[in-house]
Amino acid sequence: MSKLMSAADFQREILAAESMLAEERQLAEQYGLDAASELAILSWENRVTSLKESLAALGDEKLPSQELSLRFEGRPVRGNSVEVPFLATALRNFQTVVTSAVGSAMGRMARSGRFSETLRADTTLRVVETFAGSFGVHLETSVEQLDLEDFSFVSEAVRNLMDLMQADAESEVMDALAPFDARAIANYRHMLEHLKNSGADLDLQWHSATGAKRVRLTAQRAERVSTRLAQFKKTAERIAWSRGVLDGAIKTKGFFQFITEDKHVFSGAVAKSVLEQLRDFYDRDCEALITTTEITDAATGELKTAHRLEKLRHAGEAMGQAA
């Protein structure tokens, strides 16, 4: 396996290669371009191109590891130090949110009780270093957190979490809530409440394949968001097989449209484990296992329905196979 495990690993390597390329070009400009310097420039250009192409081809889902940075400011922080009770709870809360977000993405999480040992093991974050500037920690996921289908649910969960943390308008919040089950939402609110009660601000940075993504939650905004989330209720969640035609599918965007035999249309997100199957079932008679979630805004009465394609199978396959 390549030593480049995460997007941040690739990006650091790209920066180093670009620096060497710039240095070789500067030397060639200063002393003239000979065969040796021309070869060196070509070599570094190829190295930069190769790294960028490899990172783009892998994407976040196929990288063995993810890197996150948490920076805390506010009342619990003094200079470059932080109160231990606050930090311990903050890290535990964040770990719980990530675990429950992955459980939501996989659709394999119990509604209550302890997380399964498999889910806990597959989502454990590790502190690799702290850094100055208020107080921050760098976190990494395990290199063993690739699913059997060869992609990481952790990256999907982090992306969904950042979307939720950034959502502001009511319609944005309802859309961002769709990938999370009730347990994950409750855990997220618990994290927000801790930030609010501690007077702490959180800055989260994710080193993704397309560049660093950052979102910030102040204690004041955490309070406002938590109060707002309390008004959103998942009033129904059901999963069922339907027979029909996969009428639309965009693999790169994780989108599907399915028309049932009685002309009912389902459209929405695609579970990662189904992405590679889309072309095999497109525009064909088949059966789809679809999760339908309804979210109600108690303040306005607005109802939003979201669908996710969980599985596909050929028409006529035994309906008794496990969902």
Side-chain angles (χ1 to χ4, degrees):
M1 182 181 289
S2 168
K3 68 174 182 179
L4 303 178
M5 301 293 183
S6 67
D9 285 342
F10 272 93
Q11 288 153 3
R12 284 188 287 265
E13 196 76 7
I14 290 169
L15 284 174
E18 287 177 335
S19 177
M20 293 301 297
L21 174 59
E23 185 176 325
E24 289 292 345
R25 285 173 172 168
Q26 184 178 4
L27 289 171
E29 183 177 344
Q30 185 174 358
Y31 298 106
L33 182 66
D34 57 17
S37 58
E38 186 175 6
L39 180 60
I41 289 172
L42 180 61
S43 176
W44 285 116
E45 286 177 338
N46 290 339
R47 175 64 173 162
V48 171
T49 299
S50 175
L51 287 167
K52 288 182 177 180
E53 289 178 348
S54 295
L55 179 57
L58 286 169
D60 295 307
E61 289 78 10
K62 292 189 177 181
L63 286 166
S65 181
Q66 305 292 325
E67 289 191 31
L68 303 163
S69 299
L70 303 182
R71 185 191 302 275
F72 297 102
E73 297 176 340
R75 198 167 63 225
V77 180
R78 292 184 182 178
N80 294 325
S81 66
V82 65
E83 296 173 1
V84 170
F86 163 78
L87 181 62
T89 301
L91 291 179
R92 183 172 63 248
N93 287 345
F94 186 75
Q95 174 69 78
T96 302
V97 168
V98 170
T99 300
S100 57
V102 172
S104 292
M106 297 175 72
R108 304 173 194 169
M109 185 167 61
R111 295 184 180 274
S112 61
R114 289 173 58 85
F115 294 122
S116 71
E117 288 304 316
T118 299
L119 181 59
R120 287 164 61 91
D122 287 348
T123 58
T124 296
L125 301 171
R126 298 180 181 277
V127 176
V128 293
E129 64 176 328
T130 61
F131 57 91
S134 297
F135 185 87
V137 292
H138 289 302
L139 306 174
E140 289 183 0
T141 65
S142 167
V143 297
E144 299 172 353
Q145 288 170 0
L146 281 179
D147 191 74
L148 292 178
E149 289 84 2
D150 219 24
F151 58 79
S152 169
F153 281 102
V154 176
S155 62
E156 180 182 5
V158 173
R159 184 180 295 109
N160 291 340
L161 176 58
M162 296 197 78
D163 288 345
L164 181 58
M165 291 175 70
Q166 292 179 105
D168 214 358
E170 292 182 3
S171 59
E172 292 177 346
V173 174
M174 292 188 77
D175 287 340
L177 283 174
F180 298 91
D181 66 13
R183 183 174 185 178
I185 295 171
N187 288 331
Y188 179 58
R189 284 196 64 214
H190 190 63
M191 183 182 82
L192 295 176
E193 288 294 311
H194 178 59
L195 293 174
K196 178 199 75 173
N197 294 335
S198 303
D201 304 336
L202 167 63
D203 188 289
L204 169 63
Q205 180 173 311
W206 176 37
H207 306 276
S208 78
T210 56
K213 300 181 184 300
R214 174 172 283 152
V215 61
R216 179 177 175 82
L217 273 176
T218 64
Q220 292 76 19
R221 184 162 180 265
E223 179 178 15
R224 186 170 68 252
V225 172
S226 179
T227 300
R228 192 72 188 91
L229 285 178
Q231 298 175 333
F232 291 96
K233 304 294 183 183
K234 288 209 169 187
T235 53
E237 189 170 89
R238 55 188 178 275
I239 183 167
W241 286 98
S242 295
R243 182 165 178 170
V245 175
L246 184 63
D247 183 61
I250 305 177
K251 178 182 174 182
T252 55
K253 295 184 178 181
F255 172 83
F256 83 99
Q257 180 170 290
F258 187 84
I259 302 178
T260 67
E261 291 179 317
D262 57 3
K263 305 306 179 185
H264 183 77
V265 178
F266 291 97
S267 61
V270 180
K272 295 292 184 184
S273 56
V274 184
L275 288 175
E276 299 299 329
Q277 298 178 287
L278 292 176
R279 69 165 59 90
D280 297 330
F281 289 88
Y282 179 69
D283 203 26
R284 296 181 183 178
D285 185 26
C286 60
E287 293 169 353
L289 182 66
I290 299 171
T291 295
T292 299
T293 304
E294 293 180 354
I295 303 173
T296 302
D297 184 342
T300 65
E302 181 183 357
L303 174 67
K304 181 177 180 60
T305 303
H307 304 291
R308 187 169 76 163
L309 178 61
E310 307 287 356
K311 289 184 180 181
L312 287 167
R313 66 187 182 193
H314 298 289
E317 288 187 23
M319 293 298 290
Q321 61 176 307

